[in-house]
Amino acid sequence: MANLVLTTFDWVPDMPRGHVRDIRVRWALEEAGLPYRVESVPFHHRSAGHFAHQPFGQVPWLTDGDLSIFETGAILLHLGELSGKLMPADPRGRSDVKQWLFAALASVEAASQPWSFFKFSGDTDETPMRAFFDGFLEARLKHMEEVLAGREWLAGAFSIADILMADVLRLVDRFEGLATYDHCRAYVARATSRPSFLKARADQMAHFAAAD
Amino acid sequence: MANLVLTTFDWVPDMPRGHVRDIRVRWALEEAGLPYRVESVPFHHRSAGHFAHQPFGQVPWLTDGDLSIFETGAILLHLGELSGKLMPADPRGRSDVKQWLFAALASVEAASQPWSFFKFSGDTDETPMRAFFDGFLEARLKHMEEVLAGREWLAGAFSIADILMADVLRLVDRFEGLATYDHCRAYVARATSRPSFLKARADQMAHFAAAD
């Protein structure tokens, strides 16, 4: 029996609430129906013990018995291997899920994260480099739009790859970056209407609100 | 018996030569001693067939029989599971390798790639956002410096996680971004002195030179 503990911050500012990365792990745990509990570490004072679990001082991490895992991609992969509900059983389906799991991070978030930093900063930069980063994201979204035009989920049934990709695209959508990408926007709406996501988001909001 | 085919571009401009991402896959294949062959797709005209294997029109991808995999992280994970030489056998060691594989992409390259775009562009931007991206990379390198102060490789023996992390840090080093990070620089030197890397780089350089 898995003994799963998800660790996140005790508090974060208002802006990132609903988008702290523990939501990806909560979402997968809810989707799989795996029992878990949530623990907190201080946002303001990051201890040596925190860095022992997460070497960059970020959150989340997951412990499963004496195994401790950081990086949401790695945590989702672990949960996908633990549960039959988060990825298919056949080798080809599993391989597809894994490549899309990496693609969500290394192809899409690699472009959306720098873009989101411009947005978070107040969106006043109008330099050539800003235009470059806009174009970098546009190129990736254009291809995602083609991918999502032809399928409901990235790799057959809903999987950990969709949790990660939808969470990445959800932040783009928050800043209206999906306005001209109908299939991407519909995909985010489809994914985030799942009860597992709604529960995960409500739980994250309640967790941080409890610390105010 | 694996039937591995690595596909990359037929040609690229001088600047990225030695850094095209097929080098990560070549490196792992050489390290594992797995037989493979290399095929090319046009850099200038990217066909529907290309997008069928790599939805973003990038390289590389790997086929293993009728399995086709894109994303270097996913390809390295596949090779790690195929060979006993690229990751440890025990569950904890494998979990450590996987979290560092994701960390190389989502924690370190997520910061080094935007930084490298400023470098590639001629390094003339002096905006507040440029300072932000510099600080983002510095924060990640500071933590990597602490991690690498205490170990030769990321997860026990040399693994696919080191191939990915060393390749990510190698590009930072090319632009002298590791000047004040002795342990990171030594790690890159240690990883890239391996015969498997030297062969991979020489093969990539020869592959693109043949098309000139």
Side-chain angles (χ1 to χ4, degrees):
Chain A
M1 188 60 201
N3 179 17
L4 301 169
V5 181
L6 170 64
T7 300
T8 187
F9 287 127
D10 57 350
W11 174 91
V12 298
D14 280 346
M15 174 88 95
R17 292 187 189 189
H19 290 271
V20 177
R21 289 178 188 215
D22 68 65
I23 202 167
R24 298 170 176 180
V25 184
R26 292 176 185 270
W27 189 355
L29 288 161
E30 294 294 335
E31 187 75 31
L34 289 165
Y36 65 101
R37 66 174 203 277
V38 177
E39 292 190 352
S40 294
V41 285
F43 176 78
H44 286 295
H45 303 286
R46 302 183 193 183
S47 68
H50 182 153
F51 283 97
H53 286 281
Q54 216 297 351
F56 301 98
Q58 306 290 109
V59 296
W61 69 84
L62 183 82
T63 57
D64 178 358
D66 61 359
L67 212 59
S68 181
I69 310 171
F70 70 98
E71 284 292 334
T72 54
I75 296 170
L76 292 184
L77 186 54
H78 180 77
L79 295 177
E81 286 167 350
L82 200 62
S83 164
K85 296 182 184 169
L86 297 170
M87 55 196 291
D90 64 297
R92 183 178 208 138
R94 295 175 85 81
S95 176
D96 282 352
V97 166
K98 287 184 225 173
Q99 72 182 4
W100 280 110
L101 197 64
F102 279 101
L105 298 168
S107 289
V108 182
E109 193 172 48
S112 66
Q113 185 171 261
W115 176 88
S116 73
F117 289 151
F118 284 97
K119 293 288 180 183
F120 278 120
S121 80
D123 211 6
T124 54
D125 190 305
E126 294 182 357
T127 59
M129 282 308 291
R130 166 60 190 276
F132 172 86
F133 282 107
D134 283 356
F136 185 37
L137 178 60
E138 295 284 326
R140 295 298 160 89
L141 292 178
K142 185 169 76 75
H143 294 309
M144 280 310 299
E145 186 72 0
E146 287 158 22
V147 167
L148 292 170
R151 59 186 98 172
E152 184 179 15
W153 306 114
L154 291 171
F158 183 83
S159 74
I160 46 174
D162 295 299
I163 290 176
L164 205 39
M165 185 68 83
D167 190 57
V168 166
L169 291 177
R170 190 169 69 90
L171 185 63
V172 180
D173 197 32
R174 174 178 168 172
F175 289 117
E176 316 213 333
L178 300 183
T180 59
Y181 300 96
D182 292 350
H183 296 294
C184 291
R185 223 168 51 248
Y187 172 76
V188 170
R190 201 153 61 232
T192 59
S193 67
R194 294 175 84 85
S196 53
F197 172 79
L198 297 172
K199 170 98 166 59
R201 186 172 56 188
D203 286 355
Q204 176 176 108
M205 296 304 286
H207 175 90
F208 294 128
D212 282 333
Chain B
M1 187 58 201
N3 179 17
L4 302 169
V5 181
L6 169 64
T7 300
T8 187
F9 286 127
D10 57 349
W11 175 92
V12 297
D14 280 346
M15 173 89 92
R17 290 187 190 191
H19 290 271
V20 177
R21 288 176 187 216
D22 68 66
I23 202 168
R24 299 170 175 181
V25 184
R26 292 176 185 271
W27 190 354
L29 289 161
E30 294 295 336
E31 188 75 31
L34 289 164
Y36 65 102
R37 66 174 203 278
V38 176
E39 292 191 352
S40 296
V41 284
F43 176 78
H44 287 294
H45 303 285
R46 302 182 193 182
S47 68
H50 182 155
F51 283 96
H53 287 281
Q54 216 296 352
F56 302 97
Q58 306 290 110
V59 295
W61 69 84
L62 182 82
T63 57
D64 179 359
D66 61 0
L67 212 59
S68 182
I69 310 170
F70 71 97
E71 284 291 337
T72 55
I75 297 170
L76 292 183
L77 186 54
H78 180 77
L79 294 177
E81 285 168 349
L82 201 63
S83 164
K85 296 182 182 168
L86 297 171
M87 57 196 290
D90 64 298
R92 182 178 208 138
R94 294 175 86 82
S95 177
D96 282 352
V97 165
K98 286 184 226 175
Q99 73 182 2
W100 279 110
L101 197 63
F102 280 101
L105 298 167
S107 288
V108 182
E109 192 173 49
S112 66
Q113 185 171 262
W115 177 88
S116 74
F117 289 152
F118 285 97
K119 294 288 180 184
F120 277 120
S121 79
D123 210 6
T124 53
D125 190 306
E126 294 181 357
T127 59
M129 283 308 292
R130 167 58 191 277
F132 172 86
F133 282 108
D134 284 356
F136 185 37
L137 178 60
E138 294 284 328
R140 295 299 159 89
L141 292 178
K142 185 168 77 75
H143 294 308
M144 281 310 299
E145 186 73 359
E146 286 158 23
V147 167
L148 292 170
R151 58 185 97 173
E152 184 179 15
W153 305 114
L154 290 172
F158 182 84
S159 75
I160 46 174
D162 296 300
I163 290 177
L164 205 39
M165 185 68 82
D167 191 57
V168 167
L169 291 177
R170 188 168 71 88
L171 186 62
V172 180
D173 197 33
R174 174 178 168 173
F175 289 117
E176 315 212 332
L178 300 183
T180 59
Y181 300 96
D182 292 351
H183 295 294
C184 290
R185 224 169 48 249
Y187 171 76
V188 170
R190 200 153 62 234
T192 59
S193 67
R194 295 175 83 85
S196 53
F197 172 79
L198 297 172
K199 170 98 166 58
R201 186 173 56 187
D203 286 355
Q204 177 177 107
M205 296 304 285
H207 175 88
F208 294 127
D212 282 333

